[in-house]
Amino acid sequence: MLLSGISPDHLTFSFLLKACVRLVDLLTGQGVHGHVLKLGFHNDVYVQNVVISMYAECKVLDSARRVFDEMIEKDVVSWNTLIIGCLRCGVLDLALALFRMMNGKNLITWNSIITGFVQGGRPKEALALFQEMQITSGDGVLPDGITLASVLSACATLGALDQGKWVHRYLKRRGLEFDVVIGTALVDMYGKCGCVDQAVEIFKEMPKKDVLAWTSMIKVLADHGLAREAIELFKEMEGHGTKPNPVTFVPVLCACAHAGLVQQGWRFFQLMTNVYSIAPQAEHYACMVDLLSRTGLFSAAEEVIRGMEVEPDVYVWGALLGGCRMHGNVELGEQGSSEVVMSEIESVLVAVSFELKSLGFLTDSEDKLLEKG
């Protein structure tokens, strides 16, 4: 286009930058940004918003913030784009500071900050933000399904049953659509707060169920020791034609482990690999080792560990150690203990080397040497 002598306009740059966002292509994005500045589109709000989005998606927040600060005119999209970028990069405090400075917050702003704090591991602050949203609802911004699903997730994490029940009543009072996302969030919340009957009731009322809904309900049953009910529900899910995913098999295998159902556990493990072509991950192996160790089948547990296609982690060795403690297998227990300690040390070394490398104190060759050691 440039070689043909045709001058780009603001739409051209918007499409180019959106392509860079999708590809997470920082180098090309910087080149396009150079053309934006060169051709005088640095004052176009729409173009600058996409530039911010590009830098934020590529996790170069300093550049995103600089573009934002240099904008003569900012709209609600400018603020939301930078706040969302900060949240996705895990810089929650900066996102909150920008949120506090912003005027004219819309539903996207509130949903972003609440969801970001829930996913960022700060559910208590997410609930406080939701309460603040309620106070400012006179501005015409009311919670929707996305807001309430995030709030229910925060309640589930904190075990805040009363607030979870309030959200449930609010849903009914507002007549909001009881979709699969809301239904799954309610099942998860009631389950984690120990209200299994309510979780089952919600699950039965759901007009549509996807694999996440089924998995959530199976997990609730398994977590509360209702192993046979969890297994039956898994079979019911298959009967409805819903294909399980890797996450679904974790609570199913855990249920077998807690109930000591060795044959069924093996059958589900083989079903996962042979029928659904799901490659077992460390958590699946940990469940199988737990199942075999609990029932005293240590040779089979060791065989599973030796045959693992992924590196055994602390949970796999911990499962073996738990069984050894239960059955008084001192010799194997000592081996399991040393492996747990080594796994923990390796995790710490990986974290330390990553931190040193990011700070510029560790070269690539030194990092490889540490990895080898």
Side-chain angles (χ1 to χ4, degrees):
M1 180 182 175
L2 292 173
L3 290 171
S4 301
I6 300 169
S7 297
D9 63 6
H10 67 286
L11 289 175
T12 316
F13 287 121
S14 296
F15 293 136
L16 281 170
L17 288 162
K18 282 178 181 177
C20 294
V21 168
R22 291 202 177 185
L23 295 169
V24 197
D25 187 345
L26 176 62
L27 195 62
T28 305
Q30 287 173 321
V32 175
H33 187 199
H35 280 284
V36 167
L37 297 171
K38 185 180 176 182
L39 297 174
F41 287 95
H42 55 280
N43 289 328
D44 188 295
V45 178
Y46 189 70
V47 173
Q48 292 299 81
N49 287 345
V50 193
V51 171
I52 294 168
S53 178
M54 183 273 296
Y55 280 122
E57 189 66 30
C58 295
K59 301 191 185 303
V60 188
L61 280 181
D62 288 346
S63 296
R65 182 67 192 269
R66 188 162 57 250
V67 172
F68 177 83
D69 289 340
E70 289 173 358
M71 288 175 70
I72 296 169
E73 184 187 342
K74 302 177 183 73
D75 61 10
V76 68
V77 177
S78 315
W79 287 91
N80 284 346
T81 303
L82 186 58
I83 289 169
I84 291 166
C86 292
L87 292 166
R88 285 180 179 167
C89 292
V91 190
L92 272 61
D93 290 328
L94 177 56
L96 186 60
L98 290 164
F99 176 81
R100 294 290 176 219
M101 287 189 280
M102 181 181 175
N103 294 317
K105 301 174 183 71
N106 62 11
L107 183 59
I108 293 170
T109 318
W110 284 103
N111 281 350
S112 300
I113 197 76
I114 291 168
T115 303
F117 269 72
V118 172
Q119 293 175 349
R122 289 161 68 171
K124 201 169 183 179
E125 289 168 85
L127 289 182
L129 284 161
F130 176 64
Q131 288 170 351
E132 188 180 326
M133 183 186 187
Q134 294 289 291
I135 294 164
T136 59
S137 61
D139 298 342
V141 182
L142 293 170
D144 65 355
I146 295 169
T147 324
L148 298 173
S150 295
V151 172
L152 285 167
S153 180
C155 293
T157 304
L158 295 167
L161 180 60
D162 288 340
Q163 283 174 292
K165 284 182 174 179
W166 182 90
V167 173
H168 191 185
R169 290 194 297 270
Y170 181 85
L171 278 161
K172 289 180 176 177
R173 195 165 62 247
R174 282 271 313 276
L176 290 171
E177 185 187 357
F178 193 77
D179 61 11
V180 69
V181 176
I182 290 288
T184 304
L186 282 167
V187 167
D188 183 54
M189 184 276 295
Y190 277 121
K192 285 180 178 171
C193 291
C195 303
V196 181
D197 291 342
Q198 284 93 330
V200 170
E201 188 181 328
I202 294 292
F203 182 76
K204 286 179 177 177
E205 288 175 0
M206 289 174 66
K208 288 182 181 177
K209 301 176 182 74
D210 62 6
V211 66
L212 296 177
W214 286 98
T215 301
S216 184
M217 190 65 244
I218 291 166
K219 187 178 184 305
V220 169
L221 295 170
D223 286 348
H224 288 83
L226 301 168
R228 296 188 187 279
E229 289 85 345
I231 291 165
E232 285 304 313
L233 192 64
F234 177 82
K235 291 175 182 175
E236 190 182 329
M237 180 188 77
E238 285 187 302
H240 277 76
T242 304
K243 186 180 176 182
N245 64 18
V247 180
T248 315
F249 280 96
V250 175
V252 172
L253 292 171
C254 280
C256 293
H258 292 143
L261 303 170
V262 178
Q263 288 185 338
Q264 283 189 294
W266 272 119
R267 202 178 82 241
F268 284 124
F269 191 73
Q270 288 165 353
L271 183 77
M272 179 176 71
T273 54
N274 298 338
V275 176
Y276 292 107
S277 302
I278 295 171
Q281 297 303 307
E283 54 266 31
H284 301 114
Y285 286 114
C287 291
M288 287 306 298
V289 171
D290 187 33
L291 168 61
L292 296 166
S293 301
R294 279 172 182 262
T295 49
L297 300 171
F298 294 109
S299 297
E302 287 183 280
E303 195 177 324
V304 167
I305 293 172
R306 282 195 295 271
M308 284 178 64
E309 295 178 11
V310 293
E311 194 69 27
D313 63 8
V314 67
Y315 298 105
V316 174
W317 293 114
L320 181 66
L321 188 60
C324 291
R325 190 182 293 116
M326 190 183 294
H327 292 277
N329 190 333
V330 179
E331 187 180 341
L332 188 58
E334 285 177 353
Q335 182 192 338
S337 296
S338 64
E339 293 291 353
V340 168
V341 171
M342 286 306 298
S343 293
E344 291 286 4
I345 290 170
E346 283 173 15
S347 299
V348 171
L349 281 173
V350 168
V352 169
S353 64
F354 177 79
E355 191 67 30
L356 288 171
K357 196 174 176 185
S358 66
L359 292 169
F361 293 123
L362 196 69
T363 64
D364 287 336
S365 57
E366 288 170 333
D367 187 35
K368 283 175 184 173
L369 207 66
L370 186 65
E371 208 174 280
K372 201 178 282 186

